[in-house]
Amino acid sequence: STQSTGSSGINAEYGEGYWWTALFKDDNHQISLDSIDTTRHMHEFPQEEVACVQKLMFDQRQKQLGLPTSDEMQQDEILQKAWNAKGSPFAGTEFDRSKVNFSNDLSDLGPP
């Protein structure tokens, strides 16, 4: 269904007795069905596994909304501390993620 936010919602109900390997046909993230224990309910799994699934679901939703994932939010928190650290040339200014270079190619930074 199309919502007023400009996004689409999908309601998928499990009822056929089989598991999907992906939500979309062209999805690059395939689920290994051999690794899923379908005999147990979610609440029966160890808390660490439940937390991992919840994190993946949260991150997927954030990506769909164009918002930062949990890892990106954690990165931002660390960067903001460094940004405002004593002696930082950015201290006292508003944190701007676009000013941080995340590429592995350091050649565009110029000479040290």
Side-chain angles (χ1 to χ4, degrees):
S1 67
T2 303
Q3 301 171 1
S4 63
T5 61
S7 64
S8 296
I10 297 174
N11 181 25
E13 296 183 20
Y14 177 78
E16 295 295 319
Y18 62 89
W19 289 80
W20 299 337
T21 58
L23 184 57
F24 300 104
K25 286 173 81 172
D26 296 332
D27 195 346
N28 292 331
H29 304 288
Q30 296 289 314
I31 300 169
S32 171
L33 299 180
D34 296 334
S35 66
I36 299 174
D37 181 356
T38 59
T39 62
R40 295 167 48 190
H41 292 281
M42 190 67 156
H43 68 272
E44 296 175 14
F45 284 95
Q47 184 57 38
E48 288 178 0
E49 292 179 25
V50 172
C52 182
V53 169
Q54 290 173 337
K55 179 183 182 286
L56 291 171
M57 290 174 15
F58 173 82
D59 288 345
Q60 181 63 32
R61 182 72 177 143
Q62 290 292 98
K63 286 179 185 179
Q64 290 171 340
L65 295 172
L67 299 171
T69 64
S70 56
D71 289 339
E72 290 169 336
M73 287 189 284
Q74 187 178 24
Q75 271 183 348
D76 282 354
E77 191 175 308
I78 293 168
L79 289 169
Q80 285 177 352
K81 287 180 184 176
W83 186 280
N84 292 314
K86 185 177 180 180
S88 167
F90 304 106
T93 63
E94 187 176 340
F95 175 72
D96 183 357
R97 190 176 221 277
S98 68
K99 302 261 190 242
V100 181
N101 183 347
F102 289 100
S103 75
N104 292 331
D105 180 13
L106 300 179
S107 63
D108 59 338
L109 294 178

